[in-house]
Amino acid sequence: MLPRSRIAQEWQAFWLALGFLTRIPMLVRIDYSQRLMNQSSVYFPLVGLLLGLGNCAAYFLFSLVASPLAAIILVVILHLFITGAFHEDGLADSVDALGGGYTVEKRLEIMKDSRIGTYGTVALVMALLLKVALLAEAELIWLALLVAPAVSRLTPLILMACLPYVTDPDKSKSKPVADGFSRSRLLAAAGFVLLLAAGLSLWQPLLIPAAITAVLLVAVFWGSYLRSQLGGYTGDTLGAAVVFSELALLLFL
């Protein structure tokens, strides 16, 4: 049994992860430290699962008064509001930087610019359109809404464990998570995702291979591209990894 102090610390780490990834207020007092932020990363897939549960509930309610397609669009809008479009912002910044910069320094400079350019706008619009289309085509919409947010939030943890951090650590939202990242907690997060996929395999037998393939494909190819173009990852590229993983999983489903 874990000591009471360890349980309290994990409880705070969970709420810190929830506050980091969403707009949901933290309802407990957080004794913030970089170490606690490091530990919170293990709960990213759990936060994704909670978002997925909210997506399912919202879809059910919206379906009572709207068509399935309209309900899906409303769910996506609600999801963007709850998360503050956190990962979508990373996608837009990453594509702008990698598409418009010819040196590592210029790419990092563009990535820090709060303005969105043509590349980022196109990537963001097409990603959202593709997400809506894939959800509308899903055999089990509720399952896709539930599992995609949890599975996709595992990919950034793999990138953090395998790549160096390349941007100014004082100006990046990912810095507290990146420094001293524990691979044992990565394994715990991966185990949680696998257990979730296994539990839902009753409704979709191919869920486990689909989840593993989506995460590994994005981690390998996006990670390799980031290593060649930036030398590592930034906070924005981690957000883009979540979007890519979610789309890959929805495509497989």
Side-chain angles (χ1 to χ4, degrees):
M1 180 179 296
L2 291 174
R4 182 173 299 180
S5 61
R6 177 67 181 279
I7 294 175
Q9 189 177 60
E10 293 297 335
W11 180 239
Q12 288 193 13
F14 162 73
W15 279 100
L16 189 55
L18 187 68
F20 183 69
L21 296 179
T22 74
R23 293 175 177 265
I24 299 173
M26 291 182 284
L27 302 180
V28 301
R29 181 178 178 276
I30 303 295
D31 299 319
Y32 180 83
S33 67
Q34 184 168 316
R35 173 181 169 82
L36 184 65
M37 193 67 210
N38 294 341
Q39 293 176 334
S40 73
S41 58
V42 72
Y43 296 107
F44 285 5
L46 175 57
V47 172
L49 177 60
L50 296 178
L51 290 170
L53 289 169
N55 289 343
C56 289
Y59 178 73
F60 173 76
L61 293 176
F62 290 142
S63 296
L64 299 178
V65 295
S67 67
L69 179 58
I72 290 172
I73 294 174
L74 289 171
V75 169
V76 171
I77 293 172
L78 179 62
H79 181 83
L80 291 172
F81 174 76
I82 292 175
T83 61
F86 189 44
H87 305 303
E88 288 75 14
D89 175 69
L91 171 67
D93 287 343
S94 297
V95 175
D96 269 338
L98 295 170
Y102 295 98
T103 65
V104 172
E105 291 74 18
K106 185 61 177 178
R107 289 165 189 149
L108 294 177
E109 179 185 342
I110 294 174
M111 204 171 290
K112 294 175 184 176
D113 192 334
S114 60
R115 295 169 295 180
I116 184 173
T118 302
Y119 294 138
T121 301
V122 171
L124 187 57
V125 170
M126 298 309 296
L128 291 174
L129 284 175
L130 181 58
K131 181 176 180 177
V132 170
L134 292 174
L135 285 170
E137 293 293 329
E139 183 177 352
L140 297 172
I141 295 176
W142 68 267
L143 180 65
L145 288 171
L146 175 65
V147 75
V151 171
S152 61
R153 280 160 179 78
L154 177 62
T155 310
L157 307 187
I158 298 175
L159 294 177
M160 285 192 289
C162 298
L163 294 177
Y165 187 67
V166 296
T167 195
D168 182 356
D170 295 326
K171 296 182 180 180
S172 172
K173 291 174 281 189
S174 72
K175 188 245 182 185
V177 186
D179 288 357
F181 181 69
S182 170
R183 296 199 178 191
S184 64
R185 296 179 82 80
L186 168 62
L187 293 176
F192 171 80
V193 169
L194 288 175
L195 285 175
L196 175 64
L200 295 173
S201 293
L202 178 64
W203 291 274
Q204 174 52 269
L206 296 179
L207 183 56
I208 293 179
I212 293 174
T213 304
V215 170
L216 291 183
L217 274 179
V218 174
V220 170
F221 287 100
W222 182 234
S224 298
Y225 184 68
L226 293 178
R227 185 182 290 276
S228 67
Q229 298 298 308
L230 293 175
Y233 72 90
T234 69
D236 286 322
T237 61
L238 296 182
V242 172
V243 177
F244 291 146
S245 298
E246 192 171 45
L247 292 176
L249 179 60
L250 292 176
L251 181 63
F252 294 144
L253 292 179

